Amino acid sequence: MNGPDETSSPEGPDSGHLRGRRGLRRAEDTAPGQRSPSNSGGWFGWRRSAAREASGPPEPHPAPRGESGSGLREVTAPNDAVPLEDPQSPPIARWTFGDLRRAARRTPHTMAGPEASGSAEPFGPGRDGPSDRPASAPLRGTPDRNAGPLPDGAHPWEGSPGKGPGRGTTPLWGTPAAGPMTRGSGEDEGPSRAPSDPPRGRPRFAPAPPPSGPPTGFVPPRGPWPAVPPPHPPGPPPVTPMPGGHVPQGHLPPPAPAGPVRFLPPTGPGLPPPHPPGTPVPHPAARPAPEPDVTTGTHRLHWATIPFQALVFVLVFLAVPGVVLVEFGWGPVLMLSLTVAFGAAAYALAAWWNVTFGLRDDHLVVHTGVFRRLSREIPLSRLQAVDVVRPLLMQVMGLAELRVELAGGDSSEIRLRYLGRGTAERLRAVLLAHAAGLSGRTPEAPEWPFYKLPFGLLLGALAFRLPVLGAFVLLLLLLVTGLAFGELGVLGGAVPLLLGLMRGFLGPLLRYTDFYASLSPDGLRLRYGVFQARMQTVPPGRVQAVRIVEPLLWRSLGVVRVEANVAGYVGERQMDSSTLLPVVPRRLAFALVNEVFPGTDLAGAVLHPAKPGGLPGAALGVDDRVFVTRSGLLCRVIDVVPHARTQVLRMTVGPVERLRGTATVEADTPPGPVRARATGRDVAEARRVIDGVARRAHTARSTTAGPERWATRGDLFG
Amino acid sequence: MVEISASQPPSEATGGSTGMPAGPDVPSPMETAFAPPRGTTWNRVDPVLTWYRRLLILAATIPSAAVVGLCAGLWAGWGWSVPLVALVLAAGALGWVTAPRVHASWGYAEGPTDFHLTHGVLVRQLIVIPYGRMQVVDVTANLLEQALGIATVRVRTAATTTDARVPGLRLEAAAQLRDRLAARSETFSTGL
């Protein structure tokens, strides 16, 4: 744990904050009467984790530790905190695959279990799952896991412990006011809070419109960031203490109609927001320049698009033909440039005029085209992901591009460029609300920090990989020899190496600088990049499969990379956007998977190694929720496909495999980096796996409806 | 599924071990692994598929043998062309001989919740497609297939890595299969 540890010292306090916050949320859960109007806007927790709730009051002592070093820490802390200060929570971060393998050996090779006769409950992991647990217990988090500072544990999804496993009973969002309020206090309230350490990530994307009336005075002076007002270490049993005194709530406008709040279901499309229109929706008022209300009517792109496009035209003209024309003197060039500028401006004006977008019911209607009109109507229930992209220039100009991903292939993406930044973010929230089945006027969902990637860790991890190190060493050798012998021929080798390094090291480094991931009811939100700031949002249930990549050297750092298959990300954008977490401590990665696929316990999954003699390192595990494969000896890859998302199951036996009596089992998902292939399984076992997974997948599909309009149903993630 | 096996020639519906290599009386583990789902049998495709395949092989072999022979003869001497042509013809003959086995390897079964499909001689595959995951079911027939009166049913899902198709169905059987699959995918429908 070299890399992460450098920041580890001050985090104790931070995790305290997280806990404190969780306590706060839970307390609020118990007192639904107090709720901010914005909360009643209908966002409820996008998942209710039955398992976790059932596991009882997780944290014995919310340990409100004093103060933290800087606000940033609060998220990074838990990662690093694990080994150091939470000895009694060994969980995910601790186990290694060696443990796994050992445990798998301890348990009989279940997958190839004795009863090969294809019983009704054919395959091992499922069958043995429960009974194996003891054996694998050391691997799993056990209750302590929740007690640990796992950030996800600190997340508000944890309902009040009192509510028991009835996951449906507590709104996760909807009650607690902490989210938006604190966030507001954290960032929007800039002046009042000490701007000591303005989290680098924040300014680029304001996550939410300014909250109505956040408690300015209360704000933690060192301004940790989004939430977590440290002052309220709402005592240990966070459940009971109705934090009347705890600040954010005190400021909440007493939400009269807040009702019992489960979730306030969506009003029909176009209907007024679920909450009384008077109280909520603070943003329009709060914003200095009222932005257009994107929920109604048709809109155009930002006007600055016109001069921008014209400028680009002129620059291109000057760069290409203009250079040639200089021979004729500057006069003609100037004249021609002016002509081009006017023409381009006229065209840009026409194009700008012709691009309109607007919401109609549950559809986003986009008209484009000057000469050839194109009109697209996108049912938002089919939305796969929404990204806001802001290249450097656009950041300067305050513009943003909005990309709406649909599941229809490479050309199915809607790109609106460019919008005003505020408009883009508002539209993003509206689209996601519609996708969830809520009214477009629902305030932007709150979010809870999940992970912040320290730059040092990113830099170190990216550099600390065999290919990068190897290429670097080779490059140095080449250069040294080239210099020593005055030989220019080394450039032939050095240039490709340099390009490779740029692609494998510099590219990700610049791309993921300032990486920040948060969880919100409308999905997983990722913000990253400096030169091209991006905000990605993947709604819940849209992640089709996940893989955890663990290069050889990263294992000593305890970090991994998490990638996902999302149906909208195909072709070029698959490379672009499918990485969910570029560098993350292993246990957080597992925690994320558990969040993305509710009900899974990845750390508890028992992997069964393949028959010896095949590819080394291959293993397969199946439990009630997921199909997990592991592959690779040096670079370990764990692919996770939840049964509910499995598209096709395949068993393949090639000529060599036939000799060995093995088969390959594969769970296909929409295209992406994840390919869950389990090689080297015994044929009989493979067939049992196929049958068992097919059955579970059927159960999973019939108990969980699709992700459309998820917020209006209680059954998602059932 | 009873109605399906009824639509097939009875001789073809006899089970999974037809035509597979090394079939002792006791089903080998491989055969058990590729057995049809419980309560069903593999529906075999029409024997015309054998001839369809042979015609394709013929159409590929003869021209390529001619081209190979000519080129080799012109450039390297006619002594070279004979073995090369023989090689190509042997490959064609191999395909011709194994065509029945390829045909026999195709099988499909409609389970209660999933569509099962198996094929492949060298690389055997078992594909399980949940009805709810089917996005498109289409029937195609190229010119040769049309001449032989067969068609191919193709099932598409959101996973593009799988090529799920059932070739060599009689036209009516193909249309019926398509309709059944479409209806079931409707009943089991799930989002992406």
Side-chain angles (χ1 to χ4, degrees):
Chain A
M1 298 291 289
N2 337 359
D5 281 351
E6 54 207 13
T7 53
S8 62
S9 47
E11 61 236 0
D14 298 317
S15 59
H17 294 170
L18 283 175
R19 291 174 179 175
R21 189 166 59 105
R22 172 162 55 167
L24 165 137
R25 298 194 134 270
R26 189 168 298 138
E28 289 182 1
D29 280 346
T30 60
Q34 293 235 3
R35 195 167 308 115
S36 91
S38 63
N39 301 337
S40 57
W43 288 107
F44 67 112
W46 59 293
R47 72 161 274 199
R48 303 156 258 199
S49 64
R52 205 166 298 151
E53 288 157 10
S55 72
E59 36 200 0
H61 39 245
R65 269 161 278 179
E67 62 296 314
S68 65
S70 84
L72 297 190
R73 290 286 162 59
E74 63 185 307
V75 176
T76 61
N79 325 333
D80 314 324
V82 187
L84 297 184
E85 65 170 2
D86 224 349
Q88 103 272 41
S89 77
I92 326 175
R94 288 290 175 82
W95 60 257
T96 64
F97 289 105
D99 293 338
L100 254 192
R101 200 175 295 142
R102 247 168 280 134
R105 282 203 193 113
R106 232 174 300 146
T107 72
H109 271 212
T110 41
M111 299 290 291
E115 54 244 297
S117 57
S119 63
E121 185 59 35
F123 55 114
R127 183 192 62 220
D128 302 353
S131 59
D132 281 349
R133 285 307 151 88
S136 56
L139 310 184
R140 331 188 43 221
T142 62
D144 283 354
R145 185 158 66 98
N146 289 336
L150 245 198
D152 79 314
H155 285 326
W157 306 330
E158 199 106 21
S160 64
K163 87 184 174 191
R167 55 203 359 296
T169 52
T170 314
L172 295 172
W173 176 243
T175 27
M181 299 311 291
T182 47
R183 181 183 42 208
S185 66
E187 60 185 31
D188 294 310
E189 212 55 26
S192 67
R193 77 191 186 112
S196 62
D197 191 0
R200 291 169 297 166
R202 310 306 283 167
R204 290 173 297 123
F205 284 113
S212 45
T216 48
F218 149 77
V219 189
R222 62 199 111 73
W225 122 96
V228 197
H232 56 59
V239 203
T240 32
M242 180 36 226
H246 115 35
V247 201
Q249 275 202 345
H251 289 257
L252 300 187
V261 179
R262 296 201 5 104
F263 51 91
L264 302 190
T267 53
L271 290 191
H275 42 75
T279 24
V281 199
H283 9 90
R287 286 199 184 264
E291 354 171 320
D293 179 10
V294 286
T295 54
T296 54
T298 58
H299 302 270
R300 295 208 158 77
L301 302 178
H302 197 277
W303 58 265
T305 310
I306 308 170
F308 177 70
Q309 276 194 339
L311 198 66
V312 169
F313 262 100
V314 174
L315 286 182
V316 168
F317 169 78
L318 285 180
V320 187
V323 177
V324 183
L325 292 180
V326 171
E327 296 176 7
F328 301 103
W330 288 98
V333 173
L334 199 64
M335 292 296 293
L336 272 175
S337 302
L338 276 180
T339 320
V340 167
F342 275 113
Y347 178 80
L349 184 66
W352 173 81
W353 182 256
N354 276 309
V355 175
T356 60
F357 64 91
L359 285 162
R360 194 163 68 215
D361 295 345
D362 249 357
H363 293 244
L364 173 67
V365 185
V366 180
H367 298 275
T368 52
V370 176
F371 302 113
R372 184 169 153 269
R373 299 283 289 155
L374 174 66
S375 159
R376 305 178 74 177
E377 192 161 332
I378 301 107
L380 289 178
S381 58
R382 298 300 166 95
L383 175 124
Q384 300 286 333
V386 183
D387 296 354
V388 177
V389 183
R390 308 178 59 219
L392 191 60
L393 188 56
M394 295 303 128
Q395 293 181 53
V396 174
M397 295 168 65
L399 300 183
E401 172 187 346
L402 188 81
R403 295 184 188 169
V404 182
E405 306 283 354
L406 303 168
D410 217 359
S411 61
S412 66
E413 180 194 44
I414 306 282
R415 309 177 87 163
L416 293 177
R417 49 186 175 183
Y418 293 94
L419 298 171
R421 173 177 157 184
T423 314
E425 289 176 11
R426 178 74 191 127
L427 185 58
R428 185 195 68 88
V430 170
L431 294 182
L432 287 167
H434 272 291
L438 300 171
S439 156
R441 292 177 182 278
T442 312
E444 176 164 10
E447 62 181 31
W448 300 286
F450 180 77
Y451 177 59
K452 177 146 181 61
L453 176 57
F455 183 75
L457 178 59
L458 176 69
L459 183 70
L462 285 180
F464 198 54
R465 284 183 305 168
L466 278 183
V468 172
L469 289 180
F472 188 66
V473 168
L474 212 57
L475 183 67
L476 279 188
L477 281 181
L478 276 178
L479 289 184
V480 167
T481 46
L483 285 180
F485 297 102
E487 176 66 55
L488 276 182
V490 296
L491 288 183
V495 169
L497 275 179
L498 209 58
L499 290 179
L501 271 180
M502 284 178 66
R503 183 177 167 74
F505 174 70
L506 206 57
L509 185 67
L510 293 181
R511 181 177 173 75
Y512 294 114
T513 309
D514 228 357
F515 185 90
Y516 168 64
S518 62
L519 294 159
S520 87
D522 60 11
L524 176 66
R525 290 187 194 163
L526 312 175
R527 298 182 176 81
Y528 52 85
V530 169
F531 294 111
Q532 192 186 42
R534 299 167 64 99
M535 177 160 66
Q536 243 176 286
T537 308
V538 183
R542 292 305 191 187
V543 175
Q544 307 280 340
V546 166
R547 76 173 187 168
I548 296 176
V549 185
E550 196 175 18
L552 179 65
L553 293 181
W554 284 18
R555 259 176 263 168
S556 61
L557 297 177
V559 294
V560 297
R561 181 172 77 234
V562 181
E563 299 173 353
N565 284 4
V566 174
Y569 295 144
V570 290
E572 165 203 352
R573 300 197 300 286
Q574 174 184 322
M575 304 282 299
D576 226 27
S577 312
S578 56
T579 300
L580 293 187
L581 300 174
V583 179
V584 66
R586 195 196 281 131
R587 61 175 290 152
L588 266 184
F590 280 75
L592 178 74
V593 175
N594 291 350
E595 293 311 334
V596 170
F597 303 137
T600 59
D601 180 12
L602 189 55
V606 182
L607 290 181
H608 304 267
K611 257 179 128 174
L615 292 176
L620 165 71
V622 182
D623 69 6
D624 281 340
R625 296 278 183 173
V626 288
F627 177 91
V628 186
T629 65
R630 187 186 70 201
S631 57
L633 194 60
L634 295 182
C635 181
R636 269 183 196 141
V637 179
I638 300 178
D639 295 278
V640 184
V641 178
H643 296 326
R645 305 259 160 258
T646 306
Q647 294 282 338
V648 175
L649 288 165
R650 276 196 294 169
M651 174 171 72
T652 314
V653 179
V656 179
E657 288 176 306
R658 186 171 309 180
L659 291 180
R660 296 182 51 225
T662 60
T664 298
V665 181
E666 188 164 357
D668 284 343
T669 52
V674 187
R675 287 200 70 189
R677 285 168 61 97
T679 54
R681 316 309 305 182
D682 182 77
V683 276
E685 174 207 77
R687 181 56 191 267
R688 286 200 305 281
V689 170
I690 291 270
D691 290 341
V693 171
R695 201 178 55 247
R696 278 155 211 241
H698 175 68
T699 319
R701 277 194 307 273
S702 46
T703 52
T704 69
E708 295 87 17
R709 300 193 182 87
W710 51 271
T712 65
R713 300 181 319 235
D715 57 347
L716 187 61
F717 309 132
Chain B
M1 297 283 103
V2 186
E3 79 259 14
I4 301 139
S5 37
S7 73
Q8 292 299 313
S11 63
E12 293 299 320
T14 46
S17 59
T18 10
M20 291 323 294
D25 295 316
V26 180
S28 68
M30 200 57 77
E31 295 311 317
T32 355
F34 283 92
R38 189 167 309 154
T40 60
T41 52
W42 288 127
N43 299 292
R44 297 296 169 180
V45 297
D46 198 281
V48 177
L49 184 66
T50 308
W51 285 102
Y52 172 69
R53 200 175 160 80
R54 285 179 175 171
L55 286 178
L56 278 188
I57 289 170
L58 218 60
T61 308
I62 292 183
S64 52
V67 171
V68 165
L70 258 175
C71 293
L74 289 180
W75 284 330
W78 297 101
W80 280 97
S81 78
V82 176
L84 284 178
V85 168
L87 208 66
V88 172
L89 289 182
L94 192 69
W96 182 282
V97 171
T98 54
R101 277 169 74 169
V102 172
H103 155 254
S105 76
W106 283 96
Y108 64 93
E110 293 167 72
T113 59
D114 308 271
F115 181 66
H116 292 244
L117 176 66
T118 182
H119 69 90
V121 172
L122 200 60
V123 177
R124 293 190 74 174
Q125 285 206 47
L126 173 72
I127 301 174
V128 180
I129 308 171
Y131 294 124
R133 291 300 187 201
M134 296 180 179
Q135 299 201 327
V136 179
V137 183
D138 56 12
V139 177
T140 56
N142 61 25
L143 280 178
L144 187 54
E145 283 178 310
Q146 289 175 35
L148 293 171
I150 58 176
T152 298
V153 174
R154 196 179 290 271
V155 176
R156 289 175 213 274
T157 65
T160 48
T161 42
T162 307
D163 175 35
R165 63 196 174 94
V166 188
L169 293 173
R170 288 263 152 220
L171 265 179
E172 323 81 67
Q176 287 167 10
L177 179 63
R178 177 200 59 198
D179 292 345
R180 278 197 307 273
L181 292 183
R184 289 186 187 191
S185 79
E186 190 74 20
T187 29
F188 285 88
S189 168
T190 47
L192 184 57

